[in-house]
Amino acid sequence: MRARITATGSYLPEKILTNFDLEKMVDTSDEWIRQRTGIEIRHIAEDEPTSELAAKAALDILKNSSLSASDVELIIVATVTPDQPLPATALFVQERIGAYNAFAFDINAACSGFIYALSIANAYILSGFVKNAIVIGAETLSKITDWTDRSTCVIFGDGAAGVLLEATDGDRGILSMVLHSDGRYTDLMRVPAPGSRIPCSKEAIENRDIYIKMKGNETFKMAIRSIASVSKEALDIAGMDFKDVDWMICHQANKRIIDGVARRVGLDEDKAIITIDRHANTAAASIPLAMDWALKTGKIKEGDIVLLNSFGASLTWSASVVRW
Ligand code: UT7
């Protein structure tokens, strides 16, 4: 038995922020952002919390599937921008879509969140615990972005997307999963407050501790090597090589990282799905957003071998091989 992705769905908030808009906010330029990141625009959630983005993605998934909300057995939302500390964002999604027969919870593995969540749903399905699961990556990173810090504010965006995973007897589905983390690097990317270390306070706000802090260049240097090596591990488990890969869906953090991974492993650049130009870095949402786009535009076809890989705060990295 395998777990197979049988439907995808996505939602992007209406408001678009261009590089030219950012030129008016911080000392940056469209040219710098395009050349150093590949980003042209990003979507920004205004009045919608993360659960609303996730619920709209979930409704799109259901619309593209043969299941109704009452058939769903599990909902996992991967996010670093939950609606509130408790309850879990996934419960707001459950209520909004009316999936009352499911159980629901959130996970946080930052930009690797989608693959981590997929691995949990995959394990539950393989063990027979559930027959299906909706797995969503959803973020409103604009809410934890320091809009005065040019080294971070130009790279993030908001959005949500996900998949329906179902038990299947065929040979299509998830072939391998590899997850890694290293707690020695928690200072590379973090949002220090509010939390149990630094509770909510006027001082935390004044110190701008409530926003993303990132050592971008150090993170960049580790990303290419880590993504390449975890991808090889996942392909080895599936008994495959990079030459077997039809499509690579990498976490969309920086176009130069994706190009660097493709070059390092000898993958044709055209096989890398690129959506960072119009979505920017949406953390846990970036891989399912790219996947949904690649399916809806007819790139990924039945039987294709799709390599998913990610790298994020801090540090988490992961890969999965899927026969579509
Ligand atoms: O999502 C998963 C985890 N995150 C990542 O994987 C992010 C990885 N990192 C990156 O994508 C890149 O490091 C960034 C896009 C964040 C930054 O690009 P970079 O090429 O690493 O720039 P840098 O930090 O080395 O800075 C180079 C220069 C500096 O100026 P000086 O000191 O050389 O004069 C920066 O001050 O670029 C300057 N700079 C900017 N200039 C214009 C930094 N940000 C900007 C900006 N506009 N927005």
Side-chain angles (χ1 to χ4, degrees), residues 26-29 32-33 36-37 111 150-152 154-156 189 214-220 223 251-254 256-257 281 283 311-313:
V26 286
D27 180 15
T28 192
S29 65
W32 191 95
I33 302 169
R36 308 296 278 194
T37 70
C111 305
R150 72 173 183 173
S151 70
T152 53
V154 301
I155 66 177
F156 297 114
M189 198 174 165
M214 185 174 73
K215 295 182 181 169
N217 202 265
E218 284 172 52
T219 312
F220 184 95
H251 165 50
Q252 310 281 307
N254 188 318
R256 287 187 296 137
I257 293 177
N281 179 346
F311 182 85

Side-chain angles (χ1 to χ4, degrees), residues 119-131:
S119 80
I120 298 168
N122 183 47
Y124 278 180
I125 287 175
L126 294 185
S127 71
F129 196 54
V130 298
K131 289 189 294 300

Side-chain angles (χ1 to χ4, degrees), residues 39-237:
I39 299 167
E40 295 173 22
I41 60 166
R42 68 284 291 142
H43 290 254
I44 302 290
E46 291 186 288
D47 302 326
E48 295 171 304
T50 298
S51 66
E52 185 59 21
L53 273 55
K56 285 177 174 157
L59 291 171
D60 191 34
I61 295 167
L62 286 174
K63 195 182 80 196
N64 298 324
S65 82
S66 57
L67 297 193
S68 62
S70 59
D71 300 319
V72 177
E73 296 184 22
L74 166 65
I75 300 168
I76 310 178
V77 173
T79 186
V80 295
T81 46
D83 282 23
Q84 49 197 60
L86 69 92
T89 300
L91 274 80
F92 292 109
V93 175
Q94 174 181 29
E95 197 278 330
R96 174 74 166 76
I97 68 171
Y100 301 115
N101 296 321
F103 64 101
F105 60 88
D106 292 358
I107 71 135
N108 175 347
C111 305
S112 301
F114 177 73
I115 296 181
Y116 268 56
L118 197 66
S119 80
I120 298 168
N122 183 47
Y124 278 180
I125 287 175
L126 294 185
S127 71
F129 196 54
V130 298
K131 289 189 294 300
N132 67 61
I134 284 185
V135 179
I136 298 171
E139 303 286 7
T140 49
L141 295 173
S142 61
K143 314 283 185 204
I144 55 166
T145 294
D146 183 346
W147 292 103
T148 65
D149 175 10
R150 72 173 183 173
S151 70
T152 53
C153 75
V154 301
I155 66 177
F156 297 114
D158 299 339
V163 302
L164 174 67
L165 204 61
E166 290 188 84
T168 170
D169 286 331
D171 65 349
R172 296 165 64 197
I174 294 174
L175 305 182
S176 67
M177 269 289 170
V178 182
L179 313 180
H180 290 292
S181 65
D182 191 334
R184 287 171 295 185
Y185 297 97
T186 49
D187 67 328
L188 278 190
M189 198 174 165
R190 64 211 164 89
V191 181
S196 57
R197 274 173 200 268
I198 307 177
C200 185
S201 69
K202 196 162 164 261
E203 199 188 356
I205 296 168
E206 279 167 5
N207 290 344
R208 310 192 81 71
D209 279 339
I210 58 171
Y211 300 120
I212 298 171
K213 319 269 177 213
M214 185 174 73
K215 295 182 181 169
N217 202 265
E218 284 172 52
T219 312
F220 184 95
K221 283 179 189 151
M222 298 178 84
I224 295 174
R225 197 178 53 232
S226 307
I227 297 171
S229 73
V230 73
S231 300
K232 181 166 179 350
E233 281 182 78
L235 284 163
D236 282 350
I237 293 169

